[in-house]
């Protein structure tokens, strides 16, 4: 997967100059983040970290990832409507994982009351790495699918131009012209706009449910601005605001500060630390409402690691997507080995297998947002400690994916410029809208490439480990 700029990679003067151009281009293009010291103010901002060079991505795998996205959209949507499947799959997990259990309780409560919501909007991002097989041929393997708060669809739409300019500065205009345009934020906004339209009240607003700490606001603003451009009003509120000022009328229409809310787009609510008792109450209020939640709680549960593991079991995909053999085959081709640690003989065998050879696996709890997985020696120690306890069922085990590293420079504010051995993760954004039983939109909305130095096993851009990148197809 050699990229055609190996010749300049070690030319220090050229790299220094390109990095200066790149940083200014990123600032001009809006590849921005608020600073760690002032995460809730835009007075001082910085560029979001990104690679100096685009990274080579095998075009066949890139196309494969796009081609399977609509299948994944249909799969997530099918899971979200399958109470029996969610109940059975998460039964062992919710016994030991309090967070998943609380989400599940809201899910059941909302179902018992009966859904007021009739329009459904899914925005997800399916993430992959390029696993290097024994013969060196890379294969597309899914890391996970994010069904809530999948981020960077905004900022990533700005990196292609930056990388194009870098290549031009380095005398690689032909290569620059081959960089693909990419604008997930537009696709996400089209989905939100469709859901808003189907909700059917022109005076209603779209509410972005945002975190207390909002460093990544510019990424969200990209989507917001696309909505304003379509004359759709957007408000930004936190769980706390919903708790204090949110209400439902008799028809369970949601009101915030006396404005009716058509769509709630969560960029928050996916980790335990997002919730205190009041925030849980706010979440319940939102879920009970008629507003289109993106995602509704069932779709959030469809994105759990435990569900991912269950999908890899023989026959599961066929049951969830009956009569769709080709879609099932496309989906299955992207799966790495996934194993249940449920109590029983099979789980005992899996635990022993991982303890004996920890470098071949990743141990994953039911958490999102990066930095939670366990690898190598740490994996072995933790698993040894919990191997005879039901606590092990709060984890799943996954084959470790091993991509071929490539050299690149990671540009980060206040960090020295140095070459690193890197690996990349490709994400494809999916958007779909369903009204009752009818799918009215099902699309792939663009891509995100994130790259990190190989010494970090885990962690995304927000966690300060990975940086934004642009694929260069080879
Ligand atoms: P999260 O929900 O925290 O983002 P992920 O499953 O995406 O959890 O894992 C976080 C990071 O850990 C990924 O971005 C990737 O870098 C690394 N990772 C996860 N699974 C694997 C795997 N099977 N093999 C290699 N690296 C992995
Ligand atoms: Mg992830």
């Amino acid at each position: 997967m050699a990229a055609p700029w190996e010749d300049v990679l070690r030319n220090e003067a050229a790299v220094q100059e390109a990095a200066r151009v790149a940083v200014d281009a990123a600032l001009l293009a809006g590849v921005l983040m608020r600073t760690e010291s002032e995460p809730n103010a835009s007075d001082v901002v910085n560029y979001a970290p990104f690679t100096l060079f685009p990274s080579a991505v095998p075009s066949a795998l890139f196309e494969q990832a796009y081609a399977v996205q609509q299948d994944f959209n249909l799969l997530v949507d099918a899971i979200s409507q399958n109470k029996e499947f969610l109940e059975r799959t998460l039964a062992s997990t919710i016994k030991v994982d309090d967070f998943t259990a609380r989400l599940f309780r809201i899910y059941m409560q909302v179902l018992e009351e009966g859904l007021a919501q009739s329009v459904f909007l899914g925005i997800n991002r399916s993430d992959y790495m390029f696993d290097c097989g024994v013969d060196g041929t890379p294969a597309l393997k899914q890391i996970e699918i994010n069904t809530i708060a999948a981020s960077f669809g905004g900022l990533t739409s700005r990196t292609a131009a930056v990388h194009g300019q870098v290549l031009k500065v380095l005398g690689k205009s032909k290569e620059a012209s081959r960089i693909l345009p990419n604008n997930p934020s537009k696709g996400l906004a089209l989905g939100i706009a469709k859901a808003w339209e189907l909700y059917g009240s022109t005076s209603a607003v779209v509410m972005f449910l945002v975190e207390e700490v909002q460093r990544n606001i510019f990424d969200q603003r990209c989507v917001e601005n696309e909505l304003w451009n379509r004359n759709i009003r957007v408000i930004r509120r936190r769980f706390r605001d919903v708790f204090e000022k949110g209400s439902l009328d008799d028809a369970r229409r949601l009101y915030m500060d006396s404005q009716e809310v058509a769509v709630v787009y969560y960029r928050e609510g996916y980790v335990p630390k997002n919730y205190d008792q009041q925030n849980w109450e706010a979440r319940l209020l939102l879920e009970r409402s008629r507003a289109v939640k993106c995602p509704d709680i069932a779709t959030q549960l469809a994105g759990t690691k435990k569900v991912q593991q269950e999908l890899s079991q023989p026959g599961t995909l066929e049951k969830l997507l009956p009569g769709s053999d080709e879609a099932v085959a496309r989906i299955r081709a992207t799966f790495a080995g996934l194993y249940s640690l449920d109590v029983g003989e099979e789980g005992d065998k899996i635990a022993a297998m991982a303890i004996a050879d920890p470098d071949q696996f990743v141990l994953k709890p039911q958490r999102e947002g990066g930095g939670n997985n366990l690898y190598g020696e740490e994996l072995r120690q933790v698993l040894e400690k919990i191997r005879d306890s039901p606590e092990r069922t709060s984890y799943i085990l996954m084959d470790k994916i091993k991509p071929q590293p490539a050299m690149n420079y990671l540009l980060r504010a206040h960090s020295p410029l140095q070459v690193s051995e890197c690996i990349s993760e490709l994400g494809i954004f999916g958007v779909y809208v369903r009204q009752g039983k009818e799918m009215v939109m099902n699309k792939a909305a663009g891509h995100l490439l994130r790259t990190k130095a190989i010494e970090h096993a885990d962690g995304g851009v927000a966690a300060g480990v990975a940086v934004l990148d642009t694929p260069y197809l080879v």
Side-chain angles (χ1 to χ4, degrees), residues 356-426:
D357 201 357
D359 286 334
Q360 302 307 320
F361 302 99
V362 182
L363 186 62
K364 298 189 173 190
Q366 309 301 312
R367 290 292 169 271
E368 302 295 326
N372 305 297
N373 300 336
L374 300 169
Y375 304 83
E377 185 51 25
E378 204 186 352
L379 178 161
R380 194 186 60 75
Q381 281 175 16
V382 169
L383 204 48
E384 230 159 34
K385 212 168 80 198
I386 60 172
R387 74 188 290 179
D388 297 320
S389 142
E391 196 191 333
R392 79 174 190 209
T393 58
S394 65
Y395 293 87
I396 62 150
L397 190 75
M398 183 172 183
D399 281 345
K400 188 166 178 191
I401 296 165
K402 297 180 172 165
Q404 178 74 45
M407 303 310 270
N408 209 329
Y409 291 82
L410 308 184
L411 302 178
R412 235 186 222 109
H414 312 297
S415 295
L417 191 60
Q418 64 189 45
V419 72
S420 306
E421 230 183 320
C422 299
I423 54 174
S424 301
E425 186 168 341
L426 175 70

Side-chain angles (χ1 to χ4, degrees), residues 70-347:
Q70 285 166 302
D71 304 324
F72 271 116
N73 290 347
L74 292 175
L75 177 64
V76 170
D77 185 53
I79 297 167
S80 78
Q81 295 174 77
N82 193 328
K83 173 166 171 270
E84 188 274 327
F85 174 80
L86 283 173
E87 232 175 346
R88 180 168 47 77
T89 303
L90 295 173
S92 59
T93 308
I94 61 178
K95 277 191 205 139
V96 287
D97 187 80
D98 201 42
F99 180 62
T100 312
R102 287 202 83 151
L103 293 172
F104 194 81
R105 279 215 296 279
I106 293 181
Y107 167 60
M108 292 305 271
Q109 194 171 338
V110 171
L111 279 186
E112 265 158 43
E113 187 181 17
L115 292 186
Q117 175 179 354
S118 60
V119 177
F120 296 84
L121 164 65
I123 292 181
N124 62 56
R125 199 188 68 222
S126 182
D127 290 338
Y128 307 89
M129 280 184 176
F130 313 114
D131 193 31
C132 215
V134 264
D135 61 349
T137 318
L140 186 77
K141 290 295 160 197
Q142 188 183 49
I143 295 288
E144 64 158 347
I145 188 158
N146 302 280
T147 61
I148 180 167
S151 60
F152 292 107
L155 296 190
T156 195
S157 66
R158 270 95 170 136
T159 60
V162 176
H163 283 124
Q165 196 175 341
V166 167
L167 293 185
K168 283 183 200 163
V169 166
L170 293 167
K172 312 241 172 238
S173 306
K174 200 171 96 239
E175 287 81 0
S177 69
R178 290 192 46 215
I179 291 182
L180 299 172
N182 179 37
N183 191 357
S185 50
K186 185 172 176 195
L188 307 194
L190 286 174
I192 296 173
K194 188 71 189 169
W196 175 86
E197 180 197 314
L198 294 175
Y199 179 88
S201 166
T202 48
S203 61
V205 302
V206 170
M207 177 165 75
F208 281 39
L209 207 282
V210 297
E211 292 173 283
E212 292 285 337
V213 174
Q214 296 169 37
R215 265 193 88 184
N216 202 16
I217 190 167
F218 301 107
D219 183 54
Q220 300 166 4
R221 292 284 197 212
C222 294
V223 184
E224 265 180 74
N225 289 351
E226 293 280 354
L227 292 167
W228 283 109
N229 289 345
R230 289 169 177 76
N231 290 314
I232 297 173
R233 295 188 65 80
V234 179
I235 60 172
R236 298 173 60 87
R237 295 291 187 275
R238 301 159 306 171
F239 273 132
R240 190 160 21 134
D241 304 311
V242 174
F243 178 80
E244 284 166 7
K245 300 202 174 127
S247 62
L248 304 186
D249 73 4
D250 291 343
R252 282 193 268 161
R253 278 184 284 258
L254 173 66
Y255 287 88
M256 277 301 299
D257 310 305
S258 68
Q259 301 174 91
E260 185 176 359
V261 177
V263 179
V264 180
Y265 173 45
Y266 289 101
R267 294 292 296 251
E268 148 86 325
Y270 52 92
V271 282
K273 75 167 166 31
N274 295 154
Y275 293 94
D276 56 17
Q277 187 50 40
Q278 295 188 347
N279 290 4
W280 280 118
E281 282 175 38
R283 179 75 197 256
L284 177 62
L285 182 93
L286 296 176
E287 293 305 320
R288 292 185 55 231
S289 79
R290 254 191 70 166
V292 182
K293 272 78 63 183
C294 178
D296 66 341
I297 198 136
T299 305
Q300 180 174 359
L301 289 169
T304 51
K305 307 277 191 283
K306 184 61 195 177
V307 165
Q308 180 186 8
Q309 179 264 308
E310 176 60 30
L311 294 177
S312 74
Q313 295 296 305
T316 304
L317 288 176
E318 286 80 355
K319 271 191 218 126
L320 288 165
L321 295 174
S324 312
D325 295 354
E326 287 173 9
V328 165
R330 279 190 295 267
I331 290 171
R332 184 163 289 135
T334 69
F335 285 173
L338 288 145
Y339 314 91
S340 163
L341 289 164
D342 281 2
V343 175
E345 219 172 285
E346 189 57 29

